[in-house]
Amino acid sequence: MTKYVINGGNPLHGEIEISGAKNAAVAIIPAALMVDGVCRIENLPEISDVKTLLSILKEMGAKIRVVDKRTLDIDCTRVGTTHATFDMMRRIRASYYLIGSLLGRFGRADVAMPGGCNFGGVRPIDQHIKGFTAMGANVSVRNGIVTAVTGDTLRGVTIYLDVVSVGATINLMLGAALAQGRTVIENAAREPHIVDLANFLNSMGADIRGAGTNEIRVRGVKRMSGGFYSIIPDQIEAGTYMMAVAGAGGRVVIKDVIPKHLESISVKLREMGVTVVELEDSVIVQRDAPLLKTHVKTMPYPGFPTDMQPQISTVLCLAEGTSTITEGVWDNRFKYVDELVKMGAQIRVNGRSAIIEGVPYLSGAPIKASDLRAGAALVIAGLSARGRTVIDGVNYIERGYEKMISKLSDVGADIKGLSEREDQRYNRKMG
Ligand code: EPU
């Protein structure tokens, strides 16, 4: 699809099933490279980032068998090369996990510097490099390519991360799984997908403890062998649909979730006057009263996730009073604000903060997604607005949300995707 067209104003009613977590899947697929034998991975989301990673593995010689829509057998036993096409690697951020998995398995990695979402600021990987260097690798970055080489295998050490980094925690855990000796990652990130990756590696024979706390201890093993694993539900996908109900109104059961992972989001929604009821593996979200202002600061887990910041800001545009948002993870993640302003939102950005004056309604407009979560936020804006919104740049959204159009249509949204040809026809019709 190239664009989404939304006629806003329909309240949402029904059920939405949540897919497997993108940010767990993009770590677990590279992890499969370190395993001898077949890894059966269930609950993989059907999104373009996953497809890109699978193509990279295939190019390296992995055997991939489709068991069903969401289940794959990945066998990397015969992978013999550490190379894949750099262009493909550049398409996604998570290609940097290949540094950890290739170094761990082969003692060498040549990986193109990560691409993926650009929120407007830099996305450094100095903490990854610092960790691998401490483990005995020689790491250089030249012409956008990271080359990491170790004499034999990585050596276990204690690494203190200067910033709480999800990516560095995951990458170093990957490298440490097959390293010689014991690695301790201090000041580690605690996101649910870090625990998921540790569970995956442990179920393949690794020895990792402490994932989910800020100190992860890994005892390197000689080899890991195949097994089964099912990926956790996507916390951010669930949170995005929870915000969609808050913005558009209605009542939706968000199914197949781990409510504990959604706590920081549920708490904010309740402060905003939205009802959230937690059941065993679902949450019910209902909004039938005016939205109330609140104040949000994004933080590493278990704080309010930065990946939900554009979505909650969008809903707060419609809340009575003045709300504030402080971005506590990234230097700059407010690129989408200009698009919301085109729809009538009143937002002022000042460095890492945004001040939102609630307005009674947003008006549909042609707008453009600049990254994955910004794109999701613009969909929420379109669903909540009066009139028609046309969103460009939806390839970002399709990197991380499985079947967003059908999931939203099923609960009553008026949303459709336009292919390139349909888009040209639509443009001619609109003059
Ligand atoms: N940072 C450094 N040095 C590093 C690594 C990170 O200074 O070596 C800084 C970053 O600049 C940032 C902070 O540390 O200020 C956190 O970055 P982190 O490494 O945690 O982010 P990431 O691993 O690159 C993942 C998710 C992002 C999510 C962040 C934070 C994946 C593939 N990406 O990125 O998700 O925003 O953690 O939770 O897991 C998304 O899904 O839309 C997305 C962007």
Side-chain angles (χ1 to χ4, degrees):
M1 295 299 163
T2 57
K3 285 187 185 158
Y4 291 172
V5 180
I6 304 172
N7 291 305
N10 290 4
L12 309 178
H13 284 279
E15 296 181 349
I16 296 180
E17 273 174 30
I18 297 306
S19 305
K22 162 191 168 269
N23 287 345
V26 298
I28 285 174
I29 296 169
L33 255 177
M34 305 175 77
V35 176
D36 282 328
V38 179
C39 301
R40 173 158 295 184
I41 307 177
E42 294 172 350
N43 206 27
L44 273 164
E46 278 188 276
I47 52 175
S48 62
D49 270 18
V50 162
K51 286 182 193 146
T52 306
L53 269 172
L54 291 171
S55 306
I56 293 173
L57 254 58
K58 256 194 213 159
E59 210 189 336
M60 289 180 170
K63 286 213 174 90
I64 297 177
R65 193 174 75 86
V66 179
V67 179
D68 63 43
K69 213 161 57 111
R70 298 234 165 103
T71 309
L72 292 182
D73 281 346
I74 303 181
D75 184 354
C76 294
T77 316
R78 286 177 199 283
V79 169
T81 171
T82 61
H83 289 273
T85 317
F86 290 144
D87 271 354
M88 194 118 73
M89 289 185 181
R90 282 198 190 92
R91 278 188 218 159
I92 52 167
R93 176 82 188 154
S95 52
Y96 57 26
Y97 294 143
L98 294 166
I99 307 175
S101 61
L102 289 171
L103 254 187
R105 172 147 180 211
F106 297 107
R108 180 181 182 101
D110 302 276
V111 174
M113 277 295 269
C117 279
N118 170 15
F119 328 120
V122 284
R123 294 185 68 174
I125 60 163
D126 57 295
Q127 297 302 306
H128 307 229
I129 295 176
K130 170 183 135 170
F132 289 128
T133 307
M135 293 172 86
N138 241 316
V139 188
S140 60
V141 185
R142 249 177 245 120
N143 303 326
I145 310 296
V146 182
T147 303
V149 190
T150 156
D152 182 13
T153 54
L154 290 168
R155 279 190 321 267
V157 284
T158 295
I159 302 156
Y160 180 86
L161 296 178
D162 302 326
V163 287
V164 178
S165 159
V166 173
T169 304
I170 288 182
N171 225 346
L172 298 173
M173 215 159 75
L174 287 169
L178 292 178
Q180 235 175 49
R182 188 167 181 264
T183 303
V184 181
I185 307 170
E186 291 179 349
N187 200 26
R190 296 184 278 164
E191 268 65 6
H193 42 287
I194 289 172
V195 180
D196 209 36
L197 174 69
N199 288 342
F200 168 81
L201 290 167
N202 283 342
S203 67
M204 304 292 149
D207 183 353
I208 301 176
R209 290 163 203 213
T213 74
N214 58 11
E215 187 181 288
I216 300 179
R217 299 171 304 284
V218 186
R219 208 172 277 282
V221 294
K222 287 223 153 32
R223 67 187 287 271
M224 292 186 276
S225 46
F228 290 82
Y229 195 74
S230 183
I231 292 176
I232 51 164
D234 198 309
Q235 172 207 18
I236 305 299
E237 189 199 16
T240 299
Y241 292 124
M242 291 166 81
M243 289 298 157
V245 182
R251 180 185 186 277
V252 174
V253 184
I254 315 278
K255 288 175 66 177
D256 300 338
V257 298
I258 299 174
K260 175 113 191 88
H261 294 169
L262 302 172
E263 248 164 29
S264 62
I265 300 165
S266 304
V267 165
K268 281 293 150 196
L269 281 171
R270 289 188 188 116
E271 284 175 21
M272 291 157 68
V274 178
T275 305
V276 181
V277 180
E278 291 173 11
L279 305 174
E280 201 177 318
D281 59 359
S282 58
V283 288
I284 303 171
V285 184
Q286 180 165 354
R287 204 271 285 168
D288 38 29
L291 289 162
L292 308 173
K293 65 168 184 170
T294 190
H295 306 288
V296 180
K297 175 162 190 194
T298 68
M299 312 249 271
Y301 190 83
F304 189 88
T306 172
D307 292 344
M308 286 298 302
Q309 186 256 97
Q311 301 90 315
I312 195 166
S313 302
T314 301
V315 178
L316 286 171
C317 289
L318 296 166
E320 281 169 18
T322 307
S323 301
T324 58
I325 305 280
T326 307
E327 174 54 49
V329 176
W330 296 105
D331 283 339
N332 184 335
R333 204 174 187 172
F334 289 113
K335 257 174 127 183
Y336 62 92
V337 162
D338 290 345
E339 304 305 294
L340 292 179
V341 168
K342 288 180 194 161
M343 300 177 75
Q346 286 192 17
I347 312 181
R348 250 179 318 120
V349 176
N350 185 1
R352 280 182 157 211
S353 301
I355 299 162
I356 304 173
E357 300 291 345
V359 292
Y361 61 90
L362 296 174
S363 309
I367 48 178
K368 189 165 181 173
S370 52
D371 69 68
L372 168 63
R373 308 304 173 187
L378 298 185
V379 170
I380 295 174
L383 296 171
S384 316
R386 293 184 183 171
R388 174 170 297 188
T389 297
V390 180
I391 305 177
D392 203 349
V394 301
N395 57 309
Y396 284 114
I397 301 175
E398 296 182 351
R399 284 188 36 212
Y401 288 88
E402 178 180 317
K403 298 194 174 71
M404 183 184 255
I405 292 193
S406 65
K407 288 187 185 190
L408 285 170
S409 304
D410 288 352
V411 291
D414 182 347
I415 175 169
K416 67 171 191 270
L418 299 182
S419 63
E420 209 164 331
R421 187 176 294 174
E422 286 166 329
D423 183 25
Q424 284 162 359
R425 240 183 280 143
Y426 177 83
N427 282 335
R428 277 199 297 275
K429 201 169 117 196
M430 299 316 251

